[in-house]
């Protein structure tokens, strides 16, 4: 076909950059005590910015997993087939310790370093981070039964990715999953009807149905079932010690809005063998140890999605010319891009602060544990709630080019709502924050101690903190008002972090818009006087 015209004014592909060259992330990494991890973080960031990594993510989503329930002879096998690039994504994540590796690492800041790497690598492809996150989160729960943790933890923390269904004791590394939700209950897990009957050998036999089980190809699952002593937590391996398949039958894979690379399934326990984790009747407190870690990853993942969308939007606007000048130089577009940057950096700051709190709480710091308990619920609610609107606005910055699959923006848009729904949707997260405040007044004190570190630095922040404290003293219809209260808590926490540690232009824009009341309902409504140039420059991709 003859060439009919010359294609011009199109942004080149965003490749060959260092995804880890993110000022907000690097500043937080050093601030939270994990600056020693910066070389490996940049190594991972350079890989994340390659054409190769982009293809891994694209094809893992275009060729989603396939369920094989039976072999050619009619025997149940309950296996899930993945595109080879899914395994490359997983292998990279495990090799770099994005899973349970920090639990076996003595170096201070291990959880913060892992959070930063999770933030960087999940920008390549979010779906595979689900089993990575669940493996990370399984360790605290398993420690409720030391004899299980003793042999499982080293394999869960291993930096060797060893895919395939075999006896877990024969593998070089393990991946863990979580299986709680049932049809009739959703987040109300106390209504679960799956039963667990004790066997003579000390194990249990589980029978029942689970409505959502992500990453069903995992080597083992933590699950909830009704034992004689009440709702309890159990560990179920896919393959039993004698080499036979456990009676965990995969019924079908979910057809989801996004997260296409990751298999989510309905499963049936038909007398499946499981081992008790913790005590009978203590299933919720036991598995909450796992949920509290996956909620951290929801927050990190939400912030990572914002950063990925933002960098694409700024890259496009830098190379696209409209009405005689670069799109990034158009005043209204500058307002939009700066606003998106402010939201992204606020999310990054709070996610990394929570990772640092995880390090210190794990080391025995009671104050950090109290802060983390409340601030995590608050931030999981707000950061994940802001993600979809942020993704939509970033996609719109590319116009029609952003609405087509080749841009990668639709995948980011489809992924954005998931972290808000996973591990407790908006109401659950907000009510969990309210529960923490009600049951642990010390966590409220820890929260305001943290926020108060910025006292006197910005009058708008001070006023917002005062208003929040007044709102919390009013008991009238508090549960009805919980979302508004938790949103205010999230904003003053983010504001405090940015005022203390963020770039001055970002902190000022945040306080003026989110706390000062001078902000519209959409992105791109920052007040006049905002230093948009200084803000946007922090969102530009840096070539490797």
């Amino acid at each position: 076909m003859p060439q009919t015209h010359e294609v011009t004014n199109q942004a080149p592909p965003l490749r060959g950059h260092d995804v880890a060259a993110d000022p907000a992330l690097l500043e937080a990494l050093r601030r939270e005590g994990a600056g020693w991890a910066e070389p490996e973080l940049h190594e991972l960031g350079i890989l994340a910015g390659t054409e190769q990594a982009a293809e891994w993510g694209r094809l893992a989503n275009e060729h989603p997993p396939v369920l094989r329930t039976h072999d050619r002879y009619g025997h149940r096998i309950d296996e899930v087939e993945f595109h080879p690039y899914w395994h490359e994504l997983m292998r990279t994540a495990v090799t770099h310790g994005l899973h349970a590796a920090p639990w076996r690492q003595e170096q201070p800041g291990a959880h913060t370093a892992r959070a930063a790497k999770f933030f960087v690598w999940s920008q390549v492809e979010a779906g595979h981070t689900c089993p990575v996150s669940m493996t990370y989160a399984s360790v605290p729960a398993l420690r409720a039964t030391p004899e299980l943790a003793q042999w499982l933890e080293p394999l869960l923390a291993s930096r060797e990715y060893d895919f395939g269904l075999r006896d877990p004791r024969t593998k070089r590394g393990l991946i863990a999953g979580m299986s709680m939700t049932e049809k009739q209950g959703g987040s109300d897990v106390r209504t679960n009807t799956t039963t667990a009957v004790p066997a003579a050998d000390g194990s249990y036999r589980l029978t029942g149905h689970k409505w959502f089980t992500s990453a069903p190809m995992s080597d083992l699952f933590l699950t909830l079932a009704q034992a004689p002593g009440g709702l309890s937590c159990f560990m179920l391996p896919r393959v039993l010690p004698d080499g036979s398949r456990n009676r965990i039958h995969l019924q079908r894979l979910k057809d989801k809005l996004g997260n296409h690379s990751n298999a989510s399934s309905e499963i049936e326990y038909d007398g499946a063998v499981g081992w008790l984790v913790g005590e009978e009747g203590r299933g919720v407190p036991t598995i909450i140890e796992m949920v509290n870690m996956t909620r951290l990853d929801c927050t990190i993942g939400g912030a990572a999605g914002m950063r990925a969308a933002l960098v694409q939007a700024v890259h496009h606007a830098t190379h696209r010319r409209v009405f005689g000048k670069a799109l990034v130089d158009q005043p209204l577009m500058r307002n939009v891009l700066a606003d998106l940057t402010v939201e992204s950096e606020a999310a990054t700051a709070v996610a990394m602060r929570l990772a640092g709190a995880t390090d210190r709480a794990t080391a025995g710091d009671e104050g950090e544990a109290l802060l983390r308990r409340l601030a995590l619920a608050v931030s999981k609610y707000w950061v994940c709630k802001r993600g979809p609107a942020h993704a939509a606005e970033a996609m719109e910055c590319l116009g029609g080019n952003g609405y087509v699959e080749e841009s990668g923006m639709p995948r980011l848009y489809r992924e954005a709502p998931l972290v808000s729904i996973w591990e407790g949707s908006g109401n659950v997260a907000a009510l969990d924050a309210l529960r923490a405040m009600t049951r642990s007044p010390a966590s409220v004190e820890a929260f305001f101690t943290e926020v108060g570190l910025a006292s006197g630095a910005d009058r708008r922040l001070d006023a917002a903190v005062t208003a929040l404290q007044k709102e919390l003293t009013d008991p009238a219809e508090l549960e009805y008002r919980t979302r508004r209260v938790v949103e205010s808590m999230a904003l003053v926490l983010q504001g405090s972090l940015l005022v203390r540690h963020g770039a001055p232009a970002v902190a000022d824009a945040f306080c003026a818009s989110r706390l000062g009341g001078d902000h519209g309902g959409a992105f791109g409504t920052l007040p006049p006087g905002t230093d948009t140039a200084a803000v946007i420059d922090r969102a530009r991709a840096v070539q490797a």
Side-chain angles (χ1 to χ4, degrees), residues 174-316:
L174 301 177
I175 297 296
M178 178 167 54
S179 184
M180 293 195 296
T181 307
E182 297 186 7
K183 293 178 184 177
Q184 74 286 345
S187 297
D188 187 6
V189 295
R190 294 189 185 277
T191 64
N192 283 6
T193 60
T194 297
T195 59
V197 178
D201 63 359
S203 64
Y204 289 71
R205 300 296 180 270
L206 277 70
T207 302
H209 183 87
K210 295 294 179 180
W211 191 229
F212 278 95
T213 298
S214 287
M217 76 297 162
S218 300
D219 297 293
L220 58 98
F221 299 104
L222 292 185
T223 194
L224 294 175
Q226 299 287 354
L231 189 64
S232 306
C233 182
F234 297 90
M235 186 280 291
L236 278 69
R238 288 291 313 278
V239 178
L240 297 172
D242 64 3
S244 64
R245 304 288 177 92
N246 205 353
R247 296 183 67 80
I248 304 172
H249 302 319
L250 309 187
Q251 303 298 88
R252 65 170 178 164
L253 301 185
K254 297 287 193 181
D255 185 7
K256 298 171 293 185
L257 167 68
N259 203 241
H260 292 157
S261 70
N262 180 41
S264 299
S265 65
E266 299 167 26
I267 67 172
E268 198 82 26
Y269 296 140
D270 182 17
V273 178
W275 282 267
L276 183 66
V277 179
E279 302 173 15
E280 274 198 12
R282 297 280 299 167
V284 172
T286 299
I287 211 160
I288 280 295
E289 293 295 324
M290 185 175 190
V291 172
N292 280 336
M293 290 298 167
T294 49
R295 283 178 177 170
L296 172 62
D297 280 359
C298 286
T299 308
I300 298 168
M306 289 186 195
R307 176 68 185 182
L310 168 67
V311 171
Q312 289 282 0
V314 171
H315 175 77
H316 174 86

Side-chain angles (χ1 to χ4, degrees), residues 80-157:
V80 182
E81 293 179 358
F82 292 85
H83 190 277
Y85 284 168
W86 160 276
H87 297 296
E88 293 298 333
L89 292 163
M90 286 292 295
R91 184 173 293 107
T92 301
V94 170
T95 300
H96 285 274
L98 275 64
H99 59 317
W103 298 111
R104 307 287 291 183
Q105 192 171 345
E106 299 296 331
Q107 192 164 5
H111 291 276
T112 298
R114 178 257 172 199
K117 289 185 285 187
F118 189 91
F119 179 97
V120 165
W121 189 242
S122 65
Q123 292 181 52
V124 174
E125 201 285 315
H128 79 288
T129 63
C130 171
V132 171
S133 178
M134 291 190 297
T135 303
Y136 171 62
S138 67
V139 171
L142 285 168
R143 286 180 175 177
T145 301
E147 55 268 32
L148 283 177
Q150 185 175 5
W151 73 271
L152 286 173
E153 194 172 311
L155 291 170
L156 291 166

Side-chain angles (χ1 to χ4, degrees), residues 31-33 112 353 355-366 368-369:
R31 184 168 67 243
E32 298 297 336
T112 298
R353 175 65 182 92
T358 300
D359 272 311
R360 291 181 279 277
T362 302
D365 188 322
E366 184 178 348
E368 288 289 281

Side-chain angles (χ1 to χ4, degrees), residues 468-478 481 485:
L468 173 61
Q469 289 171 325
K470 182 179 180 181
E471 194 165 11
L472 286 176
T473 61
D474 180 7
E477 297 186 291
L478 185 55
R481 296 185 290 114
V485 171

